Amino acid sequence: MIGADTFREDFGASVVVALVALPLCVGVAVASGVPAELGIVTGVVGGLVTGWFRGSALQVSGPAAGLTVLVYEAVQAHGVSGLGVLVLVAGLLQVGMGALRLGRWFRAISVAVVHGMLAGIGLVLIVSQLYAVGGVEAPGGTLAKLGALPTLVARADWTAVALGAGTIVLMAGWRRMPARLRLVPGALVGVAAATAVCGVLRLPVERVRVTGVLDAVRPPAWGEFGVLASVGACGTALALALIASAETLFSAAAVDRMHEGPKTRYDRELVAQGIGNAVCGLLGALPMTAVIVRSAANVEAGARTRASRILHGGWLLLFAVAVPGLLEAVPLAALAGVLLHAGWKLLPAKAVAALWRTHRGEAVVLVATAGAIVATNLFEGVLVGLGLAVAKAAWETSHVHIEEVWEGDELRVQVLGSASFLRLPKLLDALEALPPGQPVRLDLTGTGHLDHACLTALHGWERGRAPLPGARLPGREGIT
C-alpha cells in the first residue's frame, strides 16, 4: 500500500531509478533508430501509467535493450510511424493474454531458450554498437556487420572509441567504489564523464540529436494502420508481444526473489504491460518491458511500494521538459558504451558452463538459439530455439527399455517406457536381433505409450515370426 510511512524510502528510490533509467532510455532509443526523446517517453509511460497497476509492486518498466534488435528491424522495414501501430497492437495482444490468464504459461518456456535469446540479443547488440562506438555507419544485417569488422578498425574514429571505452571502464570500475558513491548509477557517471570531457576539450564527435519531446511524439494516423496488411508486420507485432511478455515475467520472477514483499500477480502484470505498450503505441514511442536493471536498483535503493516507480516516471518527465538541451551535449559513443556493457551482461557465460557440466542438451539448445538469432533475426531465432527445446523434450521423454527373460523354453521380451517413432530404430534393432526360430512372447504391459508408427512396425515384425498362441499386439486381441 502507498502511504506516508513509506514515502521517504520510495522517494529516495525513485531518484536512483530515474538516474539509472535516463541513460538507458536515451541509449536504447538511439540504438533502435528513433529520436532519443521517444526512449524517455516510454520510460515516463512505464512509470506514470504502468506503475499504478498492482501486478508487481517493485518492478520498473521502460525501453529495454532486449527489444532493440527487433525494434530496429521494424523501424527499417516500416518506419517510425509504423512502429507506433505495431507497439499498439502488441500492447492489445498483451492485454488479451493477461485477460485470458495466460501469464503463468510463460513460466513454462525452457530456461535454455530464454538464456539463448538473451545471449543472441547481447551478441547482436555488441556487434551493432561496436560500429556506433567507432563512429562508423554499420552495414545491414548482423552477419554483414561481423564480416565487416576488420574494416571497422581502419575506419574508426579513435576519439569516439576512447570516449566509449572510457565510459565502459568507469561503469565496470564503479561497482568497486564505496556504497555511498554507488548510490549514483555507474551508467550515469560514465555518460556524465564522457560528456564533460567532450565539452571541456571540444572534441569533434557526433552527439545526440534532440528535437523536443512534443515534436518527437507523433501518434499514428489512420492511414498508417495499413501496415497491418503485411504478414511480416503482424509477425513483428506478435514477436514484440511475446518477447516483451516473456522478458517482463522472467524479470518479475527474479525481482520477487530479491524482496520479502507482495509477489507478482503475473496476469495482472501482463495486463499492466499491455496497457502501457498500447499507450506507447498511441504516442508513437518505443515498446516497454519490465527491466531487471532498473527493478534491481529500485529494490536495492529501499523501495517499499509502487510509489517509487510512479515517481521515477515523474522525474523522467521533468527532465525531458525542463532541461532537454542537456541531451545535445551527450556523445553517441558514450551511449554506445553503455549498451555495449549492457550487451556483455546479457551473455550467460556462467549459465552455459553450468549447463554443459550438468545438462549438455540444454547447453546445445542455448547456443543454437543464440546462433540462430545472430544468423537470422530475433523472432526466427527464438522459434528455432523453441523447436529444439520441444524436440529435446520429446526425445528425452520417449525412453524405451527392452528386457529379455527366459521362462523355461520360452523367451519373454518386455518393452518398458514410451515407444514412439523417435525410439523405433532402437526397438526394431533389439527385436530383429532375437534368435530366429525361437518362440518369443512380446509383453507390452509395461509400455506407457505406444504410437501408431511403433504399433505398425510391431505388427510387421510379428508377421515375420511364428508367434506363440495367445501372444497378440494391441489392435488385435489384447496385450500379453
Side-chain angles (χ1 to χ4, degrees):
M1 295 291 292
I2 299 176
D5 55 334
T6 62
F7 182 78
R8 181 179 178 181
E9 291 90 342
D10 290 331
F11 184 88
S14 71
V15 176
V16 173
V17 176
L19 293 177
V20 171
L22 183 59
L24 291 174
C25 287
V26 176
V28 169
V30 172
S32 300
V34 303
E37 297 91 337
L38 291 183
I40 298 179
V41 170
T42 298
V44 171
V45 174
L48 297 184
V49 177
T50 305
W52 280 101
F53 289 85
R54 297 175 179 270
S56 177
L58 302 182
Q59 188 162 247
V60 182
S61 301
L67 289 177
T68 302
V69 177
L70 187 58
V71 172
Y72 180 82
E73 293 173 353
V75 171
Q76 295 303 305
H78 310 292
V80 178
S81 58
L83 176 65
V85 175
L86 300 182
V87 174
L88 171 60
V89 172
L92 296 177
L93 288 174
Q94 286 182 295
V95 171
M97 289 188 291
L100 293 173
R101 304 179 63 83
L102 300 180
R104 63 186 184 277
W105 288 102
F106 282 89
R107 291 178 288 178
I109 298 176
S110 167
V111 175
V113 175
V114 175
H115 282 309
M117 179 186 73
L118 295 176
I121 291 169
L123 290 171
V124 174
L125 197 58
I126 288 171
V127 173
S128 63
Q129 294 309 301
L130 284 174
Y131 287 87
V133 166
V136 176
E137 185 177 352
T142 304
L143 294 181
K145 291 183 178 72
L146 286 170
L149 283 178
T151 64
L152 172 62
V153 177
R155 300 164 54 201
D157 179 350
W158 290 101
T159 302
V161 171
L163 286 172
T167 303
I168 295 171
V169 170
L170 273 175
M171 290 179 63
W174 197 251
R175 294 176 299 176
R176 300 184 180 181
M177 301 299 288
R180 290 183 178 180
L181 290 178
R182 291 202 307 272
L183 290 176
V184 181
L188 185 65
V189 172
V191 172
T195 303
V197 170
C198 272
V200 172
L201 300 181
R202 297 187 178 182
L203 299 177
V205 295
E206 192 173 358
R207 291 172 169 79
V208 176
R209 296 185 180 92
V210 177
T211 59
V213 173
L214 295 180
D215 293 332
V217 172
R218 295 181 180 177
W222 283 112
E224 289 162 355
F225 283 84
V227 71
L228 297 177
S230 165
V231 175
C234 293
T236 299
L238 178 61
L240 283 171
L242 294 177
I243 294 172
S245 300
E247 188 169 343
T248 291
L249 298 182
F250 284 123
S251 172
V255 172
D256 283 348
R257 291 193 292 268
M258 298 174 64
H259 66 90
E260 300 299 326
K263 303 306 179 185
T264 299
R265 298 178 180 180
Y266 286 90
D267 296 316
R268 285 191 179 184
E269 181 65 9
L270 200 53
V271 171
Q273 294 291 323
I275 293 174
N277 271 320
V279 173
C280 287
L282 291 173
L283 296 176
L286 290 172
M288 73 168 65
T289 74
V291 186
I292 187 61
V293 175
R294 297 169 209 177
S295 303
N298 193 36
V299 174
E300 292 169 1
R304 301 282 299 280
T305 71
R306 66 184 187 276
S308 62
R309 58 184 190 172
I310 297 172
L311 287 171
H312 116 276
W315 292 121
L316 290 176
L317 179 60
L318 179 63
F319 179 88
V321 173
V323 285
L326 285 180
L327 292 177
E328 294 181 332
V330 177
L332 289 179
L335 296 177
V338 171
L339 291 176
L340 273 173
H341 187 263
W344 178 260
K345 291 175 68 175
L346 288 175
L347 303 182
K350 292 183 179 179
V352 174
L355 286 174
W356 187 255
R357 290 192 298 268
T358 56
H359 301 88
R360 293 194 175 183
E362 293 287 301
V364 171
V365 171
L366 190 159
V367 173
T369 303
I373 290 172
V374 171
T376 57
N377 55 53
L378 186 58
F379 185 51
E380 293 178 8
V382 170
L383 289 180
V384 169
L386 290 173
L388 288 175
V390 171
K392 173 182 169 294
W395 177 263
E396 291 182 345
T397 55
S398 62
H399 288 295
V400 65
H401 178 64
I402 300 171
E403 293 183 355
E404 300 176 14
V405 181
W406 286 97
E407 297 177 346
D409 295 332
E410 175 183 301
L411 177 61
R412 182 167 65 90
V413 178
Q414 187 173 17
V415 180
L416 305 172
S418 297
S420 72
F421 71 95
L422 295 172
R423 300 292 181 171
L424 184 54
K426 176 181 178 180
L427 180 61
L428 289 179
D429 287 345
L431 293 176
E432 290 170 358
L434 296 175
Q438 174 67 42
V440 174
R441 182 180 299 275
L442 187 61
D443 185 356
L444 301 178
T445 55
T447 305
H449 172 71
L450 183 67
D451 69 8
H452 183 263
C454 284
L455 180 61
T456 302
L458 290 178
H459 282 317
W461 171 82
E462 182 192 28
R463 286 193 296 270
R465 297 185 66 89
L468 286 175
R472 294 292 183 268
L473 292 172
R476 292 196 179 185
E477 298 177 7
I479 304 176
T480 61

